[in-house]
């Protein structure tokens, strides 16, 4: 193992440190109030950043580099931090070994922020959600498959595996601390 030690709670602390050191780039479709609600103007705004590839060739006026292996254009974070694939793969191999993914969304939420009720519109099949940090609140609510009720999870306890494209979900308000989450998934091919 290069990054982790094989203990869930220790590895969660290591992952938090790795994520906290990153500069996250929030694309235009994931910024503002589309996904997040921020109740406290004094704290850092929530962010959502895709790591992997995208169907969008342009970033502003710049052309992204194409990755023939993943069959898409590299996101800015992938360009700057390609070793994150090794980090994410090692983490996956330890905690949800048989899950294949081509993308990871990194979400950051601070005190006073929450994530709106939504479907994951570009995800195909099941996703894996893991959360990290010392925070209160920040629970994940996932709609049950058979009725309109929600089951509440703390994604720090274990990886949550569910189909976010077919089951609505949201994260309630962080009342204290900071929360990072990773969503491992496969993207729809829009090419």
């Amino acid at each position: 193992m290069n990054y982790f030690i094989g203990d869930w709670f220790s590895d969660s602390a290591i992952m938090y440190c790795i994520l906290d050191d990153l500069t996250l780039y929030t694309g235009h479709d994931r910024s503002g109030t589309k996904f997040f609600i921020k109740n406290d103007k004094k704290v850092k705004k929530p962010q959502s950043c895709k790591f992997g590839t995208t169907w969008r060739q342009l970033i502003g006026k710049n052309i992204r580099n194409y990755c023939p292996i993943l069959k898409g254009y590299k996101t800015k974070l992938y360009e700057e931090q390609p070793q994150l694939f090794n980090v994410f793969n090692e983490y996956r191999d330890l905690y949800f070994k048989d899950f294949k993914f081509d993308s990871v969304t990194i979400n950051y939420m601070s005190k006073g922020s929450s994530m709106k009720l939504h479907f994951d519109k570009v995800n195909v099949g099941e996703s894996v959600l893991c959360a990290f940090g010392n925070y209160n609140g920040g629970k994940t609510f996932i709609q049950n498959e058979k009725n309109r009720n929600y089951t509440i999870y703390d994604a720090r306890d274990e990886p949550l595996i569910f189909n976010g494209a077919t089951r609505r979900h949201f994260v309630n308000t962080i009342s204290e601390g900071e929360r990072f989450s990773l969503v491992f998934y496969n993207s729809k091919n829009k090419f």
Side-chain angles (χ1 to χ4, degrees), residues 30 33-37 109 113-121 139-144 147-151 162-173:
R30 299 194 68 81
T33 59
K34 183 172 182 178
F35 289 103
F36 299 104
I37 299 168
M109 297 168 62
S113 60
S114 59
M115 187 176 290
K116 292 180 178 181
L117 181 64
H118 66 282
F119 289 106
D120 297 331
K121 66 180 181 176
K139 299 283 196 284
T140 303
F141 290 63
I142 302 173
Q143 190 171 35
N144 298 325
N147 59 42
R148 294 179 174 243
N149 296 325
Y150 289 82
T151 302
F162 70 101
N163 188 335
T166 61
R167 295 174 69 187
R168 294 172 9 140
H169 53 284
F170 68 94
V171 176
N172 72 343
T173 302

Side-chain angles (χ1 to χ4, degrees), residues 52-164:
T53 59
T54 179
W55 58 273
R56 291 187 173 104
Q57 183 180 17
L58 295 176
I59 180 169
K61 295 182 180 182
N62 300 317
I63 297 177
R64 298 177 194 258
N65 290 319
Y66 185 77
C67 178
I69 296 168
L70 294 176
K71 299 179 178 144
Y73 298 97
K74 295 179 184 179
T75 61
K76 187 170 183 177
L77 188 58
Y78 180 17
E79 285 282 353
E80 292 184 359
Q81 305 280 341
Q83 78 282 359
L84 284 175
F85 260 124
N86 297 331
V87 172
F88 296 149
N89 279 317
E90 183 177 317
Y91 193 80
R92 182 266 326 263
D93 290 346
L94 285 168
Y95 299 110
F96 39 99
K97 188 174 181 117
D98 295 327
F99 187 80
K100 305 285 187 243
F101 67 94
D102 64 22
S103 300
V104 178
T105 294
I106 304 166
N107 295 306
Y108 167 81
M109 297 168 62
S110 61
K111 179 181 176 183
S113 60
S114 59
M115 187 176 290
K116 292 180 178 181
L117 181 64
H118 66 282
F119 289 106
D120 297 331
K121 66 180 181 176
V122 298
N123 300 22
V124 176
E126 291 187 324
S127 301
V128 177
L129 168 66
C130 303
F132 313 94
N134 185 14
Y135 57 86
N136 294 322
K139 299 283 196 284
T140 303
F141 290 63
I142 302 173
Q143 190 171 35
N144 298 325
E145 292 182 84
K146 301 199 187 288
N147 59 42
R148 294 179 174 243
N149 296 325
Y150 289 82
T151 302
I152 304 168
Y153 299 93
D154 188 338
R156 291 175 292 190
D157 293 339
E158 62 183 341
L160 300 178
I161 301 173
F162 70 101
N163 188 335

Side-chain angles (χ1 to χ4, degrees), residues 37-52:
I37 299 168
K38 183 178 150 197
N39 297 325
D40 188 343
K41 295 181 195 258
K42 298 176 188 171
V43 298
K44 189 174 172 182
K45 77 175 190 172
Q47 296 175 297
S48 183
C49 178
K50 182 176 182 181
F51 177 85

